C-alpha cells in the first residue's frame, strides 16, 4: 500500500502550497538571495508533487479515456508552470547576485543594469504560479481526479 495521499487530497495540498507561494511572490520583497533560493526550492517541490501525483495515477491503471488523458495533461501543465516559475526565480537570483557584485565592484557612480530586473523576473514567476490554482480548480470542477474514498464514507 502506498504512503502517498489520495490524488484529490494531494492535488488540494498542491493547490494550497501554490496559492501561498503565489501570495509570497506578489508580496515581494527585495529579492534577497536566501529568499529567492527558498522560493526556488518551493517551486521545484510543487513540480515534484504534480509529477508524483501523475506517477501514482499512471501506476494505478492505464489511461485511455479522454478524461483520464485530460487529467494527465493538467498535471503536466501544473508541473511545467512550477518548473517555469523556478526558472524565472533562478534567473532573478542570478541577476540579483550579479547586481550586488557589480555594485560592490563599482568605484564610482551608479551601475547600469541591462535586462529584466529581479523584481520583473519574480513577477513573471508569480504569474506562472497563478496558473496552478486555476488548473487545480478546473480539474476538481470537471471531476477528473478520482474522489478520496474517505469523503464518501458514512460517519
Amino acid at each position: 500500500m502506498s504512503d502517498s495521499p489520495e490524488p484529490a487530497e494531494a492535488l488540494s495540498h498542491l493547490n494550497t502550497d501554490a496559492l501561498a507561494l503565489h501570495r509570497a511572490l506578489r508580496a515581494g520583497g527585495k529579492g534577497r538571495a536566501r529568499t529567492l533560493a527558498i522560493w526556488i526550492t518551493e517551486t521545484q517541490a510543487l513540480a515534484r508533487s504534480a509529477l508524483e501525483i501523475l506517477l501514482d495515477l499512471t501506476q494505478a491503471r492505464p489511461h485511455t479515456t479522454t478524461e483520464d488523458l485530460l487529467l494527465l495533461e493538467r498535471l503536466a501543465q501544473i508541473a511545467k508552470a512550477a518548473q517555469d516559475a523556478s526558472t524565472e526565480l533562478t534567473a532573478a537570483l542570478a541577476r540579483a547576485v550579479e547586481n550586488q557584485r557589480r555594485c560592490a565592484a563599482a568605484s564610482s557612480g551608479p551601475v547600469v543594469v541591462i535586462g529584466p530586473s529581479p523584481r520583473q523576473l519574480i513577477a513573471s514567476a508569480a504569474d506562472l504560479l497563478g496558473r496552478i490554482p486555476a488548473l487545480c480548480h478546473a480539474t476538481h470542477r470537471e471531476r477528473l481526479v478520482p474522489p478520496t474514498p474517505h469523503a464518501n464514507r458514512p460517519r
Side-chain angles (χ1 to χ4, degrees):
M1 182 166 185
S2 174
D3 288 340
S4 60
E6 293 294 325
E9 182 182 343
L11 193 61
S12 179
H13 288 296
L14 189 148
N15 183 47
T16 300
D17 293 344
L19 283 168
L21 185 53
H22 181 260
R23 282 189 211 104
L25 293 178
R26 285 287 179 219
K30 295 183 180 181
R32 293 192 172 118
R34 178 173 170 72
T35 303
L36 287 166
I38 290 169
W39 288 342
I40 291 165
T41 58
E42 289 176 359
T43 56
Q44 290 173 347
L46 287 173
R48 181 183 176 109
S49 294
L51 293 172
E52 286 175 349
I53 296 168
L54 189 143
L55 286 171
D56 286 348
L57 289 172
T58 56
Q59 182 178 355
R61 61 189 161 96
H63 292 273
T64 55
T65 68
T66 303
E67 292 80 14
D68 288 345
L69 294 172
L70 182 56
L71 172 59
L72 297 180
E73 179 186 354
R74 292 255 172 81
L75 290 167
Q77 289 173 346
I78 290 168
K80 182 179 183 325
Q83 286 289 351
D84 290 348
S86 177
T87 300
E88 291 293 299
L89 291 170
T90 303
L93 173 61
R95 179 59 50 93
V97 172
E98 176 190 3
N99 290 349
Q100 279 184 305
R101 181 191 54 78
R102 291 176 74 197
C103 287
S107 57
S108 64
V111 174
V112 176
V113 180
I114 299 172
S117 70
R119 284 192 177 153
Q120 289 170 316
L121 294 165
I122 292 168
S124 176
D127 290 344
L128 290 162
L129 286 175
R131 294 187 61 224
I132 293 174
L135 290 165
C136 290
H137 178 72
T139 301
H140 283 296
R141 182 185 67 238
E142 295 167 1
R143 300 182 191 277
L144 297 176
V145 178
T148 304
H150 307 296
N152 297 330
R153 287 187 186 163
R155 293 184 180 199

